[in-house]
C-alpha cells in the first residue's frame, strides 16, 4: 500500500519526475497522501478497489473538476 521510501534521499530515485506529465505528478502526490491511502485501503478491504469511484470520491481526491 505505501510507496517504497527506503531510497527517498537518493536523487536518482526521482529522475523520472522530470518526465512526468501533470497527471503523473498529481498521481505521485496523491498516492503518498495518508488520507487517500486510508480510503484505498478501505476499498481493498471491501473488495471494491476495481469499481469506479463514486463522483463524490472523484471530486474529493481531485480526480474530477467542477463544471
Amino acid at each position: 500500500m505505501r510507496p517504497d521510501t527506503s531510497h527517498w534521499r537518493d536523487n536518482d530515485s526521482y529522475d523520472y519526475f522530470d518526465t512526468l506529465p501533470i497527471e503523473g505528478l498529481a498521481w505521485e502526490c496523491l498516492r503518498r497522501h495518508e488520507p487517500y491511502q486510508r480510503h484505498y485501503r478501505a476499498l481493498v478491504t471491501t473488495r471494491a478497489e476495481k469499481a469506479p469511484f463514486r463522483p463524490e470520491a472523484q471530486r474529493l481526491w481531485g480526480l474530477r473538476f467542477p463544471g
Side-chain angles (χ1 to χ4, degrees):
M1 180 68 65
R2 290 181 177 264
D4 177 11
T5 57
S6 60
H7 302 288
W8 74 272
R9 291 179 187 253
D10 178 13
N11 286 335
D12 293 338
S13 295
Y14 296 95
D15 283 346
Y16 73 99
F17 270 61
D18 294 335
T19 60
L20 288 175
I22 192 69
E23 299 87 355
L25 181 59
W27 169 243
E28 289 297 329
C29 294
L30 179 60
R31 73 186 188 97
R32 288 168 170 79
H33 188 56
E34 183 64 36
Y36 177 80
Q37 291 176 1
R38 284 193 303 269
H39 179 96
Y40 186 75
R41 195 168 24 252
L43 292 175
V44 170
T45 300
T46 60
R47 299 181 187 262
E49 76 274 17
K50 293 184 181 177
F53 270 20
R54 294 185 324 266
E56 55 273 9
Q58 293 176 19
R59 283 190 296 279
L60 174 66
W61 302 119
L63 303 172
R64 292 285 182 260
F65 299 95

